[in-house]
Amino acid sequence: MESIYGLTKGTELEPMIKTIAQAEANGVMMYYALARLAREQGLDEAAEKFIEAANQEAVHAGFYAVLNGKYPKDFWSMVATLAKAEAAGEAQVKALTDKVRAAGFGAAADEMEIFAKQEGHHGVLMNEIIAKYKPADKSIEAAPDKKVYVCPVCGYEYVGDIDGEPDDWTCPLCGQPKSAFKPKSKMKITAVKLYENGFMTQPFALGGNGETAKFDPTVKYRSTLQNYVIDTGKEVILVDTGMPLEAPDMVVDDKTQIYIGSRIKDYVSALKELGYEPDQVSKILVTHKHADHTGELRSFPNAKIYISRVEADDMKLDGDNIIRTDFTDGAYKNFERSQKIADGVYYIFAPGHTKGNSIVIVEDGGLYYMIHGDVTYTDEALYENRLSVVFEDWEAACNTLARVRQFIKENPTVYVSTHTPLGYENLELKRVVDLDKPTETLPVEEIKAAKATGKYVCSICGQVYDPAVGDPEHGIPAGTAFEDLPADWKCPRCRQPKSAFNKA
C-alpha cells in the first residue's frame, strides 16, 4: 500500500486537515455517547446505527492523522509506547474507579472496572504484536544520545527535542500540552535477593490483634528475605542492608513461626551481582533497626545513612555519616511526616512495628512503589487488614496499616515487601494492588534442612544467642545454655520472648 504519511505536514493544508481530524475524533466520542443514551432508552436499533457512524468517523480521523503525520513515523516505537501507556492506564482508570465508587456511583464504577481491565489487555496485545511481528533489526528504544520526554497522563514518550515543536503541539494520545511533558526518569528499583524457600505461619502473619488462636498454624505462607536498591540515574540508594555476613541460618522445628529461608548470598555479594559496588552507594534508607534490615550498614562507610532518630538512638549509632531523621518536610499524601530524599524518593515516618519505623515511596511512571519494611510480613496480611504478632506499639501499627491501605486506595501502588517473594514479584510485574482482589497464595516450597550449631537466632530481628558468650548486659553469664535462660528473658535487640528464637 502506498503510504500517505505526512503528505500534508508542513503545507498550507496542514491546519485544515488538523481541524477536520479533531472534528472526526470528537464525532467518535459523540456518536458512541448517543449510542449509549439510545440503549438506555431501549432504542437498540438506533444505537447500532450510531455505533456504525462512530466507527466510520474513527476511520476518517485515523486517515487525516496519518495524512498530517500526527504520530511518529517510527511505527514500532509508537507500538511500544502504547504498550507502556495502556499498562499505566489500567492503574489510572482503576484509581479513578475507586473514587467514583466512593462517591456512591456504583453502577458507573462497575463498568469502569471493566474498562480498566481492557486498558491492561490492550497493553498485552501491543506486546504480543511486538513479539510476533517486530523485525529483529528495529529498535523500539530511544538512542542513548536522544532526550526522552513523558506525558504525565498517558505515558506517551516523545523522543528528541520537544522544545522544537510548535507551542500548540499536544500529546498525540491524550492531548496534553507540550508544557505538561517531563524528561523521562531513569529510575530503576531492583530487589537484592538474600534468602529463599522460607515460610511463616498464619497465626504469626495475621494474629497481631491478639487473635492468634483463630488462625490455623498448619497454614503457611511463602517467606524470603530481600531488600531493595533504587538507582535514580544520578545516584544509588539502598533501602536496608540485609542480615550480617556472619549470621547463621535458622534450623526449623514444629514451633517455628517464621523461617526466612536458606541464604542465597550475603548482602554485598548480592549487590555486586546486580552491578553495584559499595563505593557507588550514596545513601541508605533504614526502615527499622532489626538486623535483617541493618546487618551490613558497616559495609558502606561512605554512604549517608538515613534513619529515624528513635531507631538510631536505640541502635546507639554514631558517626558523621549517620543522619538522624526527624521527617521535617511535612505531609506526603495521607502520611503526616516525610523527608524528601531525591526527586521521586520519599522517606516517611510510619511507626508501630518499631517505634521509629519508616517506609520508602518511590514515584515513577505514574506508579507509587511502596517499600515498607515490615508493616506486614506477607501481602496476605495487607489484604486481610491484619497485623503480624511483631510490633512495639500496637496502636501506632494499626494506624500505620490504615494509612497504608488508604494510600493504596487513592494511588496506583506497587506493594514492595521484604519477607515474601510477592515483594519482588510485584515489583517485576509492576503489579498494582487492588485491595478487593488479593493476589494468589502459592504453596510453600520444600524446606532445606540445616545442621544445628548450638546457637539460637531470633526469628524477628536476627539476634544470635551464643551460649559460649551469654548475655552479660542482662546478667546472663557465659556458658548459660539457652534452655537455662529465665522464662522472662527477652531478645536483647527487639525484646521478643524466648519463644521467638530458633535453633541456628
Side-chain angles (χ1 to χ4, degrees):
M1 180 185 297
E2 183 179 351
S3 178
I4 63 168
Y5 180 85
L7 291 181
T8 54
K9 187 174 180 64
T11 73
E12 62 182 10
L13 294 170
E14 181 176 2
M16 291 179 280
I17 296 296
K18 179 179 180 181
T19 298
I20 193 170
Q22 187 59 57
E24 297 283 7
N26 290 342
V28 174
M29 180 166 56
M30 177 189 68
Y31 280 122
Y32 273 117
L34 288 171
R36 175 78 191 209
L37 293 172
R39 289 198 189 282
E40 288 180 359
Q41 298 177 58
L43 304 174
D44 289 350
E45 185 176 349
E48 290 301 320
K49 294 190 179 299
F50 286 132
I51 290 172
E52 180 183 355
N55 291 339
Q56 291 172 353
E57 295 283 87
V59 172
H60 304 163
F63 172 86
Y64 293 125
V66 173
L67 195 62
N68 247 5
K70 177 177 174 64
Y71 300 105
K73 191 172 185 179
D74 186 342
F75 173 82
W76 290 112
S77 176
M78 187 66 179
V79 176
T81 296
L82 277 170
K84 296 176 184 177
E86 295 286 13
E90 179 178 12
Q92 291 164 352
V93 174
K94 180 61 177 67
L96 178 58
T97 299
D98 291 341
K99 293 181 180 179
V100 171
R101 193 180 300 284
F105 309 128
D110 288 343
E111 285 203 57
M112 290 176 67
E113 290 269 10
I114 297 172
F115 298 163
K117 292 178 182 178
Q118 289 173 337
E119 297 287 349
H121 182 60
H122 296 162
V124 172
L125 291 178
M126 296 304 104
N127 283 320
E128 288 177 351
I129 289 171
I130 291 170
K132 187 172 182 178
Y133 298 111
K134 187 181 85 67
D137 60 343
K138 293 281 187 180
S139 173
I140 62 173
E141 297 296 331
D145 59 339
K146 292 281 188 180
K147 292 183 178 179
V148 181
Y149 299 85
V150 181
C151 175
V153 174
C154 70
Y156 172 77
E157 295 184 359
Y158 178 96
V159 181
D161 181 15
I162 199 170
D163 293 331
E165 295 289 351
D167 290 342
D168 62 350
W169 183 90
T170 59
C171 174
L173 293 186
C174 70
Q176 288 295 302
K178 181 175 75 170
S179 59
F181 277 66
K182 303 295 182 185
K184 182 180 180 181
S185 168
K186 295 183 179 179
M187 192 82 72
K188 183 171 68 172
I189 309 169
T190 312
V192 186
K193 298 177 183 178
L194 305 169
Y195 287 73
E196 63 183 355
N197 297 339
F199 69 86
M200 66 188 79
T201 65
Q202 190 180 65
F204 172 88
L206 308 183
N209 291 1
E211 300 174 313
T212 54
K214 69 180 293 184
F215 296 106
D216 186 348
T218 66
V219 174
K220 294 181 171 66
Y221 304 121
R222 294 182 297 160
S223 183
T224 52
L225 173 63
Q226 59 276 336
N227 299 140
Y228 297 91
V229 54
I230 304 167
D231 186 340
T232 69
K234 295 180 180 179
E235 61 179 330
V236 178
I237 302 172
L238 306 182
V239 181
D240 297 334
T241 61
M243 280 287 199
L245 174 65
E246 65 275 11
D249 277 1
M250 293 164 51
V251 176
V252 179
D253 60 27
D254 57 2
K255 296 180 181 179
T256 301
Q257 299 180 74
I258 181 171
Y259 170 59
I260 61 174
S262 55
R263 190 192 290 265
I264 304 170
K265 281 183 173 64
D266 66 273
Y267 186 89
V268 173
S269 296
L271 189 65
K272 287 183 175 181
E273 192 169 274
L274 295 175
Y276 300 102
E277 295 292 332
D279 59 5
Q280 290 179 264
V281 176
S282 59
K283 296 170 184 170
I284 302 173
L285 310 180
V286 178
T287 61
H288 62 288
K289 62 192 174 185
H290 294 161
D292 52 341
H293 297 258
T294 60
E296 288 300 323
L297 291 178
R298 60 193 175 183
S299 295
F300 304 92
N302 298 324
K304 293 182 178 179
I305 299 173
Y306 290 76
I307 182 169
S308 70
R309 184 173 295 278
V310 176
E311 303 294 273
D313 290 346
D314 280 354
M315 294 180 68
K316 300 180 174 59
L317 294 179
D318 195 16
D320 294 339
N321 65 328
I322 304 299
I323 310 298
R324 279 173 161 76
T325 307
D326 293 314
F327 306 93
T328 55
D329 285 347
Y332 176 84
K333 304 288 186 179
N334 63 316
F335 292 97
E336 294 179 349
R337 296 168 59 189
S338 71
Q339 199 84 30
K340 184 176 180 180
I341 301 299
D343 287 344
V345 181
Y346 297 87
Y347 192 40
I348 295 164
F349 189 56
H353 178 65
T354 62
K355 292 181 179 178
N357 196 75
S358 59
I359 63 178
V360 177
I361 295 180
V362 181
E363 299 176 359
D364 188 47
L367 299 179
Y368 296 82
Y369 296 83
M370 181 181 286
I371 308 173
H372 63 85
D374 297 344
V375 170
T376 63
Y377 273 81
T378 184
D379 290 19
E380 284 85 354
L382 172 72
Y383 290 103
E384 293 285 340
N385 195 18
R386 293 280 180 175
L387 294 173
S388 79
V389 298
V390 185
F391 47 80
E392 290 185 350
D393 185 329
W394 180 80
E395 187 173 344
C398 290
N399 181 55
T400 287
L401 181 57
R403 287 182 186 274
V404 164
R405 286 172 55 85
Q406 185 63 35
F407 182 94
I408 287 169
K409 291 176 182 177
E410 296 174 352
N411 305 278
T413 304
V414 180
Y415 195 64
V416 185
S417 301
T418 297
H419 285 292
T420 168
L422 285 166
Y424 58 76
E425 291 168 4
N426 292 342
L427 178 62
E428 291 163 2
L429 294 171
K430 294 186 178 180
R431 181 161 52 201
V432 173
V433 174
D434 180 344
L435 290 175
D436 295 324
K437 297 176 182 176
T439 51
E440 182 183 2
T441 297
L442 298 177
V444 172
E445 297 183 33
E446 182 181 356
I447 306 301
K448 297 177 181 178
K451 185 177 180 181
T453 63
K455 302 176 183 179
Y456 287 75
V457 60
C458 179
S459 61
I460 306 306
C461 74
Q463 175 77 12
V464 176
Y465 178 79
D466 184 348
V469 176
D471 181 11
E473 186 177 348
H474 295 93
I476 307 299
T480 303
F482 184 82
E483 295 80 3
D484 295 334
L485 291 172
D488 61 354
W489 180 85
K490 298 183 185 300
C491 173
R493 177 180 284 124
C494 70
R495 309 308 295 162
Q496 292 296 306
K498 282 176 65 176
S499 60
F501 279 71
N502 294 319
K503 293 179 180 178

